[in-house]
Amino acid sequence: DDGQAERVTGQKNNGSCVCEVNFSKWSFPAVKYEAVLQQVQSCEGSLNNLQEQVNLSNQRLPQIQALVNNVTARLEPYQYLHYQGLYTALSLRQLGQELSQLETDVGAIHSQYNNPQTQKLSKE
């Protein structure tokens, strides 16, 4: 009822009709439709990307969980010592420093004497 027909001439190009159309005369908001369509396509691309990330995370999650369980299981024996106050982070740091110093000392002795005993000590 409200629509108006408009005749538009065009040229045939690669099997398609190419012509200029004045969208301002249309009652259908084609320009707005195109903009919304582009936004929907952009959102669809983002959604697909996020879905791929979720799928990858779902694949990696069991591996990460197994790793955390492994580390937790390996730390359990030390938890007892920690709760009993038998060691702290400071004492572990001191132990690391003492072992480093011992390694340095053994290396110095080995370089001075270089005999089978110092070689064995260096390997230990």
Side-chain angles (χ1 to χ4, degrees):
D1 295 337
D2 297 357
Q4 295 176 350
E6 182 178 344
R7 183 176 187 89
V8 178
T9 58
Q11 296 177 347
K12 192 172 185 179
N13 186 1
N14 291 335
S16 299
C17 179
V18 179
C19 56
E20 283 189 37
V21 178
N22 184 357
F23 292 113
S24 63
K25 293 184 179 181
W26 287 16
S27 58
F28 180 77
V31 175
K32 288 182 182 179
Y33 174 80
E34 294 270 334
V36 170
L37 182 61
Q38 286 180 352
Q39 286 181 341
V40 167
Q41 289 171 343
S42 174
C43 288
E44 186 178 28
S46 296
L47 177 65
N48 290 337
N49 186 21
L50 289 172
Q51 188 63 47
E52 283 181 33
Q53 291 177 8
V54 167
N55 291 340
L56 182 62
S57 296
N58 285 338
Q59 290 173 0
R60 293 265 305 141
L61 189 60
Q63 296 169 346
I64 294 170
Q65 193 169 8
L67 181 65
V68 168
N69 289 341
N70 182 11
V71 169
T72 302
R74 289 174 36 207
L75 286 176
E76 277 183 24
Y78 299 102
Q79 289 291 15
Y80 171 78
L81 297 174
H82 177 69
Y83 293 138
Q84 296 299 316
L86 298 176
Y87 82 88
T88 61
L90 178 60
S91 61
L92 288 178
R93 222 173 299 133
Q94 278 181 309
L95 179 62
Q97 289 172 348
E98 290 174 12
L99 287 173
S100 293
Q101 184 61 47
L102 181 61
E103 183 180 17
T104 302
D105 293 344
V106 167
I109 291 171
H110 176 64
S111 65
Q112 275 183 334
Y113 297 107
N114 196 14
N115 60 36
Q117 289 175 328
T118 60
Q119 285 179 348
K120 181 182 174 191
L121 189 60
S122 292
K123 287 180 183 178
E124 289 178 5

